[in-house]
Amino acid sequence: MRWSVHMLIFWGFIGLISLSAIAVALETVIPESSETARYMLYGEGHNIYKLAGDLFGLMLLLGLAAAFLRRFIFRAQQLNTDIYDTTTLIFLILLVLTGFILEAMRISLSAPVPELQYSFVGYRLSGIFFSEGEWVRAAASVTWTLHAFLTATLLAYFPHSKFMHVINSPVEIILNASEERTRGDLYI
Amino acid sequence: MKNANSHIPVDKLSPRRLMCLDACTRCGECQNWCPVYSLTENEKVTPRAKIKNLKAILKAQNGFWGLFKSEIPPDTMSDFLTGLYECSCCNQCHFVCPSRIDTVELWENVRAAMFISGLGPIPEQRTFCQNLVKYGNPFKKEQSARADWIEDGLQDGTLLQRPELITENKASVLLFIGCTATFDEKVNKIAKHTVNILSKAGIKFGILGTEENCCYGKLRRMGDPTFTQLAQKNIEKLNDLGIDTLVSACAGCFKTLYSDYPKVGRQKYKIYHLSEYLDMLIRQGQIKFEVPVPGQVTYHDPCLLGRHNNIYDAPRHVIEAIPGMELVEMERVRQFSRCCGVGGGLKIANHDLQEAASVRRIKDAEETGAEYLTTPCPTCYAGLLGGALKAESQIKVIHMAELAARSMGINK
Ligand code: SF4
Ligand code: SF4
């Protein structure tokens, strides 16, 4: 169970980070006139990008929900939750939720084209916001600001939090494996 | 010990170990396996709690907020001290940690820093270290008493012949007896069996006798910095002997000589644990087990031999070479062998806890239905012997050297 939770959060994160990296590359290094940029911005690539975005977001959300259940509802015996674990979890849940809400608002404000359905989560959620045009526009700005603020805070909080394991654990695993290899006692 | 606000000198912690602190994901896997936690359910001893407390202390003493409020809650410091010293340094947590944190290296590095700052170890351990440095052995005996087991063995016939001194016979193989097998009367038959085995196998070897020094591994385990200079002296002395092989019948001495001394200086000889050496002699045909020892035996992996030094197969080969003997494994073996609690200074810090750990291991052994429980380390042997007594167990705890000697027909 705990490995499934970790895998959902891990791959959800990796997926979203990779997609963000693609978006940054399209903004900065890939020329707009190139074949790749056209495919990604206006062609089928755009739809796949949206689909993948929602898929990874959903994986992350599911993982976080399961983590929440394990910690606070089922209280798995080996877990010991402190304030830092709770902060980290709430941070991530808020980040993903605001991400989805923002997407839904954006969809509800754009012209209804069939391609929007590729954002399968955002598209379904957008129904909530259809009626109230102006209100949604204002709320979208607030949500965007909140989402951006959370992202920036997360980056600032990162080195002081258990997020550091994202960097230190793999480094530890690699260093340890090389030390064990040097000593000749590498185990499985 | 100093008060809770003495500083842990962060500069004495290596960057490599400090990095581990942020590699802990607080997953709690270590808690599922820690032999001490399984006995006490005291969360403080788990690596997760130790790392969390250590981080809190270091942050309070060195972090930004520490500039304004550097007091450490007394509970945090005392919890950390309990966790750090009521730990047998068995290395089980390292093997189950998904981040592969080298936990015991971390504990020993922190223990060294604590020793320097005066925050640790606990008073009994500090006195132990002082006595070890003063007497040159943990038993507070005179150096001249290092030959007593020889005289006793020759007198009661348990020693076949007087072992030669390496300083006189200039042999290339040194049998390093170690303090426990030298001074502990319940255990010193191991020294006699080992000498008998090597003599019968026709090995040209020698011992240091009253010239032998403690390996001082216990100082390292408890963080006493005197270890480095005493180890250096030992290395020079052993190098000067001109030997090419050193054999140790103790997992503790072996770990110290094999894994700790290389960090202090270069040793010009190969180091073998007795079980490896016997395995080699059996394969070379120099040792023949001819007398059957009928019965089932189960094997306890000493932490310092197995998890710390990756020696799992050699002792099992020795057992399997004994005619009539059938090896039956316990549920937790090799990398997952349950610690008998004797190591890491736990026995000094909390004797009852150590005894409970040994009793628990005896239960593991009993579950196999074996008649014998064997191990190739005098310290584990002594701990398990105590555990069997306490548990009123029928299982016969026997050191591997005694089994081998019996099968060579040299045991009385
Ligand atoms: S198993 Fe390793 S990562 Fe998990 S809590 Fe223990 S020390 Fe931390
Ligand atoms: S070294 Fe052994 S006793 Fe110490 S914390 Fe790890 S598992 Fe527990």
Side-chain angles (χ1 to χ4, degrees):
Chain A
M1 173 65 179
R2 62 209 161 99
W3 291 116
S4 325
V5 172
H6 190 260
M7 283 300 126
L8 281 171
I9 297 175
F10 175 77
W11 286 112
F13 234 108
I14 295 284
L16 290 176
I17 285 175
S18 311
L19 291 179
S20 305
I22 294 172
V24 172
L26 284 169
E27 283 269 327
T28 52
V29 287
I30 303 173
E32 222 185 309
S33 54
S34 71
E35 190 81 2
T36 321
R38 266 186 281 131
Y39 175 74
M40 288 305 296
L41 295 173
Y42 312 108
E44 188 60 17
H46 188 71
N47 296 333
I48 297 172
Y49 186 94
K50 288 284 167 194
L51 181 76
D54 272 28
L55 189 69
F56 289 129
L58 191 64
M59 279 168 72
L60 185 52
L61 193 60
L62 282 176
L64 293 170
F68 185 87
L69 289 175
R70 278 192 82 218
R71 280 188 187 270
F72 300 105
I73 311 294
F74 301 119
R75 293 180 183 270
Q77 204 241 331
Q78 90 183 53
L79 289 176
N80 168 324
T81 307
D82 69 14
I83 180 78
Y84 300 104
D85 302 316
T86 314
T87 317
T88 307
L89 195 56
I90 291 177
F91 235 125
L92 290 176
I93 292 176
L94 283 179
L95 203 62
V96 187
L97 283 180
T98 51
F100 273 131
I101 294 171
L102 194 58
E103 187 189 38
M105 286 173 168
R106 234 188 271 149
I107 289 173
S108 77
L109 291 170
S110 42
V113 286
E115 283 78 15
L116 286 174
Q117 294 197 36
Y118 279 97
S119 305
F120 62 99
V121 180
Y123 186 76
R124 281 174 178 74
L125 282 178
S126 67
I128 310 169
F129 304 105
F130 262 138
S131 50
E132 317 271 347
E134 269 321 294
W135 175 84
V136 174
R137 202 171 294 279
S141 303
V142 174
T143 316
W144 185 90
T145 315
L146 182 64
H147 190 72
F149 175 75
L150 281 172
T151 311
T153 318
L154 181 79
L155 283 178
Y157 182 54
F158 194 98
H160 307 281
S161 68
K162 78 181 283 189
F163 283 121
M164 275 305 280
H165 86 270
V166 171
I167 297 168
N168 287 29
S169 295
V171 172
E172 177 68 36
I173 291 169
I174 293 164
L175 285 179
N176 180 63
S178 81
E179 284 161 2
E180 281 176 349
R181 195 176 290 275
T182 318
R183 294 197 304 260
D185 62 352
L186 186 74
Y187 62 95
I188 21 76
Chain B
M1 260 189 291
K2 292 194 184 167
N3 67 40
N5 284 318
S6 304
H7 262 63
I8 298 180
V10 73
D11 57 318
K12 296 284 179 267
L13 302 176
S14 76
R16 175 79 181 79
R17 299 301 146 223
L18 286 170
M19 197 200 78
C20 301
L21 304 183
D22 276 323
C24 173
T25 61
R26 304 185 23 78
C27 69
E29 192 58 20
C30 46
Q31 178 175 301
N32 287 341
W33 290 87
C34 172
V36 178
Y37 176 80
S38 73
L39 294 169
T40 58
E41 303 217 342
N42 181 353
E43 222 256 315
K44 296 169 202 170
V45 80
T46 65
R48 171 169 63 187
K50 283 198 270 249
I51 290 175
K52 181 181 164 187
N53 287 331
L54 178 60
K55 268 169 81 172
I57 295 167
L58 292 178
K59 275 190 178 169
Q61 292 179 337
N62 305 284
F64 175 70
W65 296 114
L67 292 175
F68 309 101
K69 186 177 169 290
S70 62
E71 273 153 44
I72 304 151
D75 282 356
T76 309
M77 187 53 100
S78 76
D79 285 0
F80 179 62
L81 285 168
T82 310
L84 188 63
Y85 295 107
E86 288 201 356
C87 157
S88 66
C89 291
C90 71
N91 218 15
Q92 181 65 81
C93 38
H94 168 60
F95 278 81
V96 298
C97 174
S99 299
R100 291 286 185 267
I101 297 175
D102 207 340
T103 40
V104 173
E105 279 295 322
L106 175 62
W107 312 149
E108 289 188 355
N109 189 192
V110 179
R111 283 177 176 197
M114 301 284 281
F115 202 103
I116 293 165
S117 70
L119 276 166
I122 61 165
E124 291 82 354
Q125 290 174 325
R126 194 172 275 271
T127 313
F128 179 93
C129 291
Q130 284 161 350
N131 284 331
L132 179 48
V133 174
K134 184 173 164 200
Y135 291 93
N137 66 73
F139 294 84
K140 295 193 259 180
K141 294 268 178 73
E142 293 303 321
Q143 193 67 4
S144 56
R146 280 194 182 267
D148 289 358
W149 63 274
I150 302 174
E151 305 310 325
D152 293 349
L154 289 171
Q155 244 174 35
D156 63 17
T158 47
L159 194 57
L160 296 182
Q161 63 186 78
R162 183 182 290 279
E164 291 176 15
L165 291 176
I166 198 138
T167 41
E168 286 168 8
N169 72 356
K170 306 285 179 214
S172 60
V173 179
L174 168 70
L175 176 62
F176 191 87
I177 307 288
C179 299
T180 312
T182 299
F183 295 112
D184 189 329
E185 277 152 23
K186 291 198 292 298
V187 177
N188 68 17
K189 58 181 176 179
I190 296 166
K192 299 168 196 163
H193 292 309
T194 313
V195 166
N196 289 344
I197 293 169
L198 296 189
S199 305
K200 176 129 191 213
I203 307 293
K204 178 107 178 98
F205 74 100
I207 62 164
L208 275 161
T210 53
E211 294 286 304
E212 187 176 290
N213 290 332
C214 178
C215 68
Y216 297 109
K218 282 275 193 297
L219 295 181
R220 163 95 177 116
R221 307 279 93 77
M222 280 177 271
D224 188 334
T226 329
F227 170 74
T228 313
Q229 97 211 37
L230 292 172
Q232 183 63 48
K233 272 196 193 158
N234 267 353
I235 293 173
E236 283 164 19
K237 182 171 177 174
L238 293 169
N239 279 343
D240 286 347
L241 292 174
I243 51 167
D244 59 33
T245 303
L246 182 149
V247 181
S248 161
C250 169
C253 303
F254 177 77
K255 149 91 178 164
T256 309
L257 291 156
Y258 187 77
S259 327
D260 298 319
Y261 278 17
K263 293 173 199 148
V264 177
R266 202 174 85 79
Q267 297 170 95
K268 297 185 196 152
Y269 41 86
K270 280 187 114 179
I271 302 153
Y272 292 95
H273 182 263
L274 179 70
S275 57
E276 292 179 294
Y277 198 61
L278 290 185
D279 183 29
M280 204 165 70
L281 295 179
I282 293 166
R283 277 187 280 123
Q284 288 169 353
Q286 275 184 274
I287 281 188
K288 291 208 170 45
F289 290 147
E290 278 157 352
V291 181
V293 186
Q296 288 189 321
V297 64
T298 189
Y299 173 73
H300 168 73
D301 287 279
C303 307
L304 296 180
L305 202 61
R307 276 189 292 269
H308 281 269
N309 282 303
N310 205 30
I311 298 173
Y312 302 107
D313 293 323
R316 287 177 167 82
H317 290 162
V318 176
I319 296 171
E320 280 159 359
I322 298 175
M325 194 111 267
E326 187 198 342
L327 175 65
V328 283
E329 295 281 15
M330 288 182 256
E331 200 185 316
R332 280 181 63 172
V333 288
R334 303 174 81 96
Q335 281 94 342
F336 303 103
S337 168
R338 198 194 304 271
C339 173
C340 68
V342 185
L346 175 64
K347 189 176 169 187
I348 310 159
N350 188 334
H351 183 264
D352 292 346
L353 199 51
Q354 176 272 309
E355 200 172 53
S358 289
V359 168
R360 183 67 190 82
R361 192 54 172 162
I362 291 291
K363 298 273 175 234
D364 285 347
E366 282 177 334
E367 279 165 22
T368 64
E371 184 184 346
Y372 298 101
L373 164 62
T374 193
T375 190
C377 170
T379 328
C380 296
Y381 169 77
L384 292 167
L385 215 53
L389 205 68
K390 176 94 183 165
E392 296 177 4
S393 171
Q394 295 302 309
I395 202 157
K396 294 174 193 141
V397 183
I398 184 165
H399 189 276
M400 174 171 284
E402 185 168 351
L403 274 183
R406 271 193 204 177
S407 191
M408 287 171 82
I410 46 176
N411 201 50
K412 299 219 169 182

